[in-house]
Amino acid sequence: MAKAIIWLVRFAGRGKGSSLPGMVSLKICPGILAHLAGQVRRGVVMVTGTNGKTTTNNMIARAVREAGYRVVVNTEGANLITGVTTAFLKAASPVGRVDCDYALLEVDEASFPRISQQVCPRVVVVTNFFRDQLDRYGELDKTISLIEDALAGLPGTRLVLNADDPLVARLGAITGREVTFYGLGEHSGVSSHSTAAREGRFCPGCGRELEYAYYHYSQLGSYRCPGCGFSRPAAGVEGSHAFSSGGTTGCLLAYPGGSRELVIPVPGLYNLYNGLAAFTAALTLGLDPDRIIHALGGYTPATGRMERYRYRGRPVLLNLVKNPTGFNEGLHTLLTLPGPVDVLIAINDNAADGRDISWLWDVDFEMLGEQHHRVNQVFCTGQRGAEMAVRLKYAGFPLAKIHVQEKMHRAVRDVLAGNGSIAYLLTTYTALWPVERILRSCARRDGLENLPSVS
């Protein structure tokens, strides 16, 4: 049944069939995920957290594949139980046999408890915790408690945790599981203060306000609690001397037994964290460090994760944004691009995006208002394009540079036709796929060698 649905969805051009087959199969046979996952020979790796799941998981998958192993992976980012089940169904034979060494699964935070019970992961990677879709997840404390409780019920699971996020790092002590921490040391881009909304402002143990030696972004940095002494743990895998150049991001990487230079072909400090997480997870699986470095250096971004295109000789970047922290980092990247930049912001409020768009007021669009000379024009589209334009107005962005276009295909073509040095498209989740289809119809996917330099 699942195989037939996958074929029909693709034949009808209605998508990639990344969720519906799993939904139908689970209705027919509720235990199908546990049955299929039980056939994985060497173990399951699960990646969860607020931001970076898709990129981190796909980076791990590339490293594991290049090491010669067969994998199951939900590449498209369908991370609910229906999408995870579909990933196994696609890999299975018509009689339900799965021939793979590892399953590498990106998993939604709210779905983590249910999925982890059925697949029994060997390794769990937690990237970060930020406020995201309050109307769906509730407050961040609720999301973290779901992960905590689920991890406590997974004996034998090893954790790979972000040492720089106090909300993530604490999971090691709470769960009592074996942990490998990864993190980023101090570098020239750190700040002595943070203006962004910090979910981890207070100690997750005693509630005292944390003290920071420096910040990378949001609550990520070097922290210590003056009350109970909780502090950033020593990272087993740590990056130093971080740099960005020519559309790449990298650092000097220290790990047990050696050090290497890590360079990944995507800009943005947050992507460097994804690379660190992927390297640590692959190292935990016993892969050769040199092979991992090589694999990450050839990583190709997934749809909307700083995906590169070229339109009539001009570079185009497509980036998914879904919460204040991720949007802020996307804007920081925008301001490092050679200007002026033509920008499109597509905001939808479907269930998968979050119905409540008040989170846009927590995004630091004021940085665009202050540096509007670097932006040629902004096209606002999607179901809530008009509200996005209002937000930009209150951020002090010049009204003459703001354009509201209800028709998404027109908005995409307008930003591509701009005369800036680069076009930068930022979209919420359900707006990503239509924007990507429009881009594919008129622009070509680009290679790293053609990406403009990032300062």
Side-chain angles (χ1 to χ4, degrees):
M1 180 74 74
K3 293 289 188 183
I5 292 171
I6 292 170
W7 183 86
L8 286 171
V9 169
R10 290 177 173 175
F11 180 76
R14 303 294 294 177
K16 298 182 179 180
S18 59
S19 292
L20 182 60
M23 182 186 303
V24 174
S25 299
L26 287 164
K27 291 285 186 183
I28 298 171
C29 177
I32 193 169
L33 175 56
H35 170 69
L36 296 175
Q39 301 178 51
V40 180
R41 288 185 288 272
R42 301 179 68 93
V44 175
V45 178
M46 293 176 63
V47 180
T48 194
T50 306
N51 292 340
K53 295 186 292 291
T54 301
T55 299
T56 299
N57 195 54
N58 289 349
M59 283 180 169
I60 299 170
R62 183 180 180 92
V64 173
R65 277 197 182 107
E66 288 203 7
Y69 295 107
R70 296 178 66 87
V71 303
V72 169
V73 54
N74 53 338
T75 311
E76 292 91 358
N79 56 25
L80 304 181
I81 192 167
T82 52
V84 170
T85 303
T86 299
F88 279 101
L89 292 167
K90 287 181 176 179
S93 71
V95 293
R97 302 298 182 198
V98 177
D99 177 20
C100 82
D101 299 298
Y102 290 102
L104 308 166
L105 308 174
E106 168 197 346
V107 179
D108 171 81
E109 305 95 291
S111 301
F112 183 86
R114 184 181 175 192
I115 296 173
S116 62
Q117 279 186 341
Q118 298 193 43
V119 305
C120 303
R122 171 180 167 182
V123 177
V124 171
V125 181
V126 185
T127 58
N128 47 59
F129 287 126
F130 300 119
R131 190 156 43 91
D132 186 24
Q133 296 187 33
L134 292 179
D135 52 348
R136 177 168 168 244
Y137 292 112
E139 286 296 337
L140 188 57
D141 289 347
K142 179 181 178 182
T143 301
I144 296 173
S145 66
L146 286 173
I147 304 294
E148 287 178 4
D149 293 344
L151 290 175
L154 296 175
T157 296
R158 183 166 181 172
L159 305 183
V160 172
L161 303 179
N162 187 343
D164 296 345
D165 186 339
L167 301 177
V168 173
R170 185 168 176 261
L171 291 175
I174 290 177
T175 62
R177 299 286 173 259
E178 186 178 359
V179 182
T180 301
F181 289 102
Y182 66 91
L184 187 61
E186 187 172 5
H187 58 91
S188 59
V190 301
S191 173
S192 60
H193 65 280
S194 174
T195 58
R198 289 186 284 121
E199 332 304 334
R201 180 181 176 185
F202 299 99
C203 175
C206 70
R208 289 280 297 274
E209 185 168 0
L210 293 172
E211 297 176 347
Y212 277 77
Y214 56 82
Y215 297 92
H216 294 298
Y217 69 90
S218 194
Q219 79 263 17
L220 273 62
S222 179
Y223 51 85
R224 181 185 177 279
C225 175
C228 65
F230 169 69
S231 62
R232 177 190 185 272
V237 175
E238 184 163 59
S240 63
H241 302 88
F243 63 88
S244 248
S245 177
T248 64
T249 307
C251 65
L252 181 63
L253 190 62
Y255 58 91
S259 64
R260 298 284 190 284
E261 185 179 62
L262 172 67
V263 180
I264 55 176
V266 280
L269 183 66
Y270 59 98
N271 277 315
L272 184 55
Y273 271 104
N274 298 333
L276 290 170
F279 179 90
T280 308
L283 199 66
T284 300
L285 296 178
L287 272 61
D288 178 69
D290 288 330
R291 282 178 175 264
I292 303 171
I293 293 288
H294 180 268
L296 297 182
Y299 169 73
T300 302
T303 301
R305 277 70 175 185
M306 295 304 291
E307 191 179 11
R308 299 179 291 269
Y309 291 84
R310 185 160 288 266
Y311 178 78
R312 295 182 178 176
R314 192 165 70 126
V316 180
L317 288 175
L318 176 61
N319 197 19
L320 171 70
V321 289
K322 58 177 185 171
N323 52 50
T325 299
F327 214 139
N328 283 339
E329 291 309 299
L331 295 179
H332 281 299
T333 299
L334 186 161
L335 294 176
T336 66
L337 297 171
V341 182
D342 292 306
V343 179
L344 177 140
I345 304 178
I347 304 295
N348 279 356
D349 62 350
N350 294 312
D353 306 293
R355 300 289 188 185
D356 182 0
I357 63 162
S358 62
W359 62 273
L360 291 174
W361 293 87
D362 292 328
V363 180
D364 187 14
F365 289 108
E366 282 69 20
M367 72 174 80
L368 287 189
E370 294 167 0
Q371 300 194 51
H372 64 84
H373 60 281
R374 298 186 63 87
V375 180
N376 196 35
Q377 54 191 338
V378 177
F379 295 93
C380 301
T381 189
Q383 296 161 348
R384 306 303 287 268
E387 286 87 341
M388 182 65 248
V390 171
R391 176 67 185 94
L392 288 173
K393 172 187 174 182
Y394 277 91
F397 196 80
L399 291 179
K401 293 185 176 184
I402 303 173
H403 311 281
V404 178
Q405 176 53 259
E406 293 183 5
K407 296 180 178 179
M408 194 171 289
H409 70 278
R410 286 286 304 275
V412 173
R413 292 185 180 276
D414 286 345
V415 75
L416 293 178
N419 56 14
S421 61
I422 185 171
Y424 189 48
L425 289 68
L426 299 133
T427 82
T428 54
Y429 187 73
T430 65
L432 173 64
W433 302 105
V435 167
E436 190 259 351
R437 282 196 296 270
I438 298 164
L439 267 179
R440 277 194 288 113
S441 71
C442 57
R444 65 177 175 85
R445 208 156 190 269
D446 206 0
L448 174 65
E449 66 276 6
N450 294 318
L451 189 67
S453 178
V454 179
S455 60

